[in-house]
Amino acid sequence: MSFLVWNCRGLAQPRTVRFLKEIIKQLRPNLVFLSETFANKKKIESICKAVFFNGCFVVESQRHGGGLTLLWKNEGGVEIKGSSNHYIDFEVCCDQVGRWRYTGFYGCPERQRRRESWQILRDPAAESQLPWCLIGDFNDMMHEHEKQGGRRQPRGLLEGFKETVFDSGLDDLGFIGSEFTWEKSRGTAT
């Protein structure tokens, strides 16, 4: 079972949709979690068909921001357990790994609202006995070296997020791909 997790920053532009199609073609994931889609359900459903996925669950964007999407292929059963503007909680059953719980997460981007994100992470931690994998964009970090440029991350936010991860029984598994989702002109000299 393979995942693609992408903070797409909007699916309104054709080049963004083309990029999504290309990366799905290259990586061939079974599940795709998208955050900050800025799109409605109709738009997402058309993208789902275009990338040949059978299942689609959408949390529509509010006003001019947000939006979450989970796309899946028919392989393995996906059962949605809950959702909000910040997460899609689901269970997956497949031959290779059995039944697992996953949560696609998008944390509050505003610093003053980080405690809301932390509480959202803590609430579902005890709800299931299944192995749990939490994926997405937390808009938070546990170490200062995870940030480049701009203001330093306040120590209280670093410690608060570390404490939340620990309290929830989570471990950081790392990632593959671009370290920073906001990179401008990635792959060029600028």
Side-chain angles (χ1 to χ4, degrees):
M1 170 124 345
S2 62
F3 281 93
L4 170 63
V5 179
W6 187 35
N7 184 326
C8 53
R9 305 259 200 273
L11 291 172
Q13 296 188 10
R15 73 171 191 245
T16 306
V17 175
R18 280 193 308 273
F19 179 76
L20 176 61
K21 288 177 183 178
E22 184 60 33
I23 200 163
I24 287 173
K25 183 178 174 182
Q26 287 175 12
L27 300 177
R28 298 190 338 238
N30 303 89
L31 292 157
V32 175
F33 176 71
L34 304 172
S35 59
E36 287 195 291
T37 60
F38 307 159
N40 62 32
K41 188 173 182 173
K42 186 176 178 180
K43 172 77 172 175
I44 298 294
E45 287 173 343
S46 72
I47 292 170
C48 182
K49 288 177 185 172
V51 295
F52 305 105
F53 276 63
N54 304 89
C56 174
F57 184 84
V58 178
V59 176
E60 291 193 67
S61 62
Q62 303 295 313
R63 294 182 215 120
H64 300 290
L68 305 174
T69 295
L70 178 68
L71 305 174
W72 64 90
K73 294 191 175 181
N74 239 357
E75 303 159 16
V78 172
E79 183 180 343
I80 304 298
K81 293 296 194 177
S83 66
S84 79
N85 291 336
H86 296 283
Y87 69 89
I88 299 174
D89 193 38
F90 57 103
E91 290 181 8
V92 174
C93 185
C94 67
D95 295 336
Q96 301 99 319
V97 295
R99 191 161 203 74
W100 274 68
R101 177 180 177 210
Y102 294 90
T103 304
F105 188 80
Y106 179 69
C108 298
E110 305 88 4
R111 283 184 171 180
Q112 67 275 15
R113 294 184 59 213
R114 297 290 166 78
R115 283 178 173 58
E116 287 177 46
S117 291
W118 301 342
Q119 191 57 47
I120 293 168
L121 289 175
R122 283 187 169 106
D123 287 345
E127 290 180 9
S128 175
Q129 298 303 309
L130 293 174
W132 183 31
C133 184
L134 188 61
I135 55 178
D137 183 349
F138 299 90
N139 277 316
D140 231 324
M141 58 191 184
M142 295 193 295
H143 307 285
E144 189 65 41
H145 71 269
E146 296 173 336
K147 180 180 189 315
Q148 279 185 349
R151 296 184 298 164
R152 292 178 55 97
Q153 185 77 343
R155 173 107 1 263
L157 290 180
L158 293 170
E159 295 304 320
F161 187 55
K162 280 186 208 176
E163 185 179 301
T164 300
V165 169
F166 178 79
D167 291 349
S168 300
L170 299 169
D171 289 311
D172 185 354
L173 299 178
F175 63 92
I176 296 172
S178 178
E179 189 172 354
F180 302 106
T181 60
W182 50 263
E183 285 185 73
K184 183 178 177 184
S185 304
R186 185 172 52 191
T188 68
T190 55

